[in-house]
Amino acid sequence: MKLATYKDGSRDGQLVVVSRDLATAHYATGIAARLQQALDDWGFAAPQLQDLYESLNGGKARHAFPFEPRRCMAPLPRAYQWADGSAYINHVELVRRARNAEVPESFYTDPLMYQGGSDDFLGPCDDVVVPKEDYGIDFEAEVAVITGDVPMQATPDQALDGIRLLLLANDVSLRNLIPPELAKGFGFFQSKPATAFSPVAVTPDELGDAWQGGRLHLTLQSTWNGRRVGMCEAGPEMTFHFGQLIAHICKTRNVRAGSIVGSGTVSNKGVEKDGRTDWPKGYSCIAEKRAIETIQDGKPSTGFMRFGDTIRIEMKGKDGQSIFGAIEQKIAQPG
């Protein structure tokens, strides 16, 4: 099934069930008013939400209405946890190669992860408000999952069973604030403002054979200022699958229902041709493009985002239909 949250003036919005083709929706108020409520009692709520979903797809839901992504908050407007991994080691390799730094061996066996702010997510069509352009504004196109309860010391396979929903993310980064923060030795903070999520979150069964072994084998599309810059394959080169990422969190703590775990920037390896490496599938963040330019040409030539720029992030199924709806945002000044 597919779920979204409509704006209603409150912090947590109203849960709606969305049809498979993203054309119609129906309030889920009689089952669960908010997505967190459904996640807290998933065994009770999910079958009822599934029944409503099937009625909606069959055209039998009496109070259906046209689905409007611009009315959406993030599917989970605020969460108990937002933990973002860096599951595509190619992204790490590129960034480090561009500054002549080696990748530590441990990065290939132990996932990188940071804990971001989860109290104020952005809806899929909300502006990305940044105080200054010179902070180095960047998008990051990612896949994410929302979990149920997963116990401490869960194995990767057990952790996979705890995945309730999948969605897309724009993990906005302020690149010029990152180096001084990391130099303090305590990780990201001001350099990671509010994250945006796709209009719709979907249950794994909706993805068919594209969902295999904790990886989503579909193409993630990134379009910057109307120009498609990334057609990256999300599945084959994901070094750590979502079960491994969740199990990484569970090493010393329980993961509770309503936790969101991100994949990190979706990234694909380059192709060697005539003594030169090219990246035909493009990029899912500007920092990676700049790393590629540095490797190829000795210096970056692409600037970061400016006020008025737009970003669209979307993933389509094998039938060409949008699965999660699109994140469509504009970079804006405060006020």
Side-chain angles (χ1 to χ4, degrees):
M1 62 186 157
K2 300 190 176 188
L3 303 173
T5 295
Y6 261 23
K7 297 175 180 178
D8 67 351
S10 71
R11 292 182 186 273
D12 298 304
Q14 286 207 7
L15 180 63
V16 297
V17 178
V18 183
S19 62
R20 182 172 287 111
D21 61 5
L22 306 182
T24 58
H26 194 291
Y27 284 110
T29 312
I31 304 167
R34 296 170 299 280
L35 180 53
Q36 184 61 52
Q37 182 183 348
L39 292 165
D40 284 338
D41 198 3
W42 190 251
F44 175 76
Q48 297 180 71
L49 292 169
Q50 182 68 33
D51 287 344
L52 177 55
Y53 179 65
E54 291 173 3
S55 295
L56 191 61
N57 287 324
K60 297 177 181 179
R62 293 179 57 190
H63 301 292
F65 49 85
F67 178 58
E68 300 176 67
R70 291 197 168 273
R71 292 184 61 187
C72 288
M73 306 173 78
L76 198 57
R78 51 181 176 164
Y80 289 112
Q81 177 168 224
W82 161 232
D84 196 18
S86 188
Y88 296 86
I89 198 67
N90 179 68
H91 173 73
V92 180
E93 290 173 338
L94 279 175
V95 172
R96 288 192 165 240
R97 182 179 165 192
R99 63 173 193 261
N100 296 314
E102 293 186 1
V103 179
E105 284 299 318
S106 64
F107 284 23
Y108 294 91
T109 57
D110 192 32
L112 289 171
M113 186 170 286
Y114 83 93
Q115 194 165 50
S118 60
D119 57 331
D120 184 31
F121 292 138
L122 297 177
C125 302
D126 293 344
D127 288 347
V128 177
V129 178
V130 180
K132 297 180 181 180
E133 280 184 339
D134 61 11
Y135 284 169
I137 307 163
D138 198 357
F139 66 89
E140 287 194 57
E142 305 187 9
V143 180
V145 298
I146 302 176
T147 76
D149 288 332
V150 184
M152 187 190 312
Q153 290 281 293
T155 67
D157 285 344
Q158 290 169 336
L160 282 178
D161 290 337
I163 294 173
R164 299 288 179 259
L165 298 159
L166 287 90
L167 64 171
L168 304 181
N170 178 16
D171 177 41
V172 181
S173 291
L174 304 179
R175 298 295 182 185
N176 294 337
L177 299 185
I178 289 177
E181 284 201 320
L182 295 185
K184 294 178 180 180
F186 224 52
F188 303 120
F189 198 82
Q190 292 175 334
S191 54
K192 288 289 188 176
T195 303
F197 292 95
S198 53
V200 168
V202 312
T203 48
D205 61 286
E206 285 292 314
L207 301 165
D209 60 6
W211 176 245
Q212 294 182 25
R215 297 176 174 90
L216 183 50
H217 292 262
L218 291 170
T219 305
L220 186 60
Q221 304 178 12
S222 300
T223 304
W224 178 17
N225 290 336
R227 177 173 171 264
R228 188 167 293 165
V229 296
M231 292 288 288
C232 295
E233 300 300 327
E237 295 177 45
M238 188 179 188
T239 309
F240 302 101
H241 64 67
F242 277 109
Q244 292 170 302
L245 294 178
I246 298 167
H248 179 79
I249 306 172
C250 289
K251 181 175 182 178
T252 58
R253 67 183 77 174
N254 297 313
V255 170
R256 292 306 186 194
S259 293
I260 307 178
V261 181
S263 67
T265 304
V266 175
S267 179
N268 294 156
K269 291 184 179 297
V271 176
E272 299 288 338
K273 185 177 180 181
D274 299 326
R276 178 183 171 92
T277 305
D278 289 308
W279 282 264
K281 295 185 184 298
Y283 53 92
S284 298
C285 72
I286 301 168
E288 187 163 305
K289 172 63 170 172
R290 288 167 59 87
I292 290 168
E293 290 167 346
T294 300
I295 293 165
Q296 291 178 326
D297 307 317
K299 63 180 181 180
S301 55
T302 300
F304 291 114
M305 302 182 84
R306 307 186 69 84
F307 295 137
D309 279 10
T310 60
I311 179 65
R312 178 186 175 95
I313 298 168
E314 189 173 23
M315 181 176 276
K316 295 182 178 181
K318 296 175 182 178
D319 59 0
Q321 298 300 307
S322 183
I323 296 173
F324 306 94
I327 297 172
E328 294 188 88
Q329 297 183 282
K330 182 175 70 174
I331 308 300
Q333 295 174 275

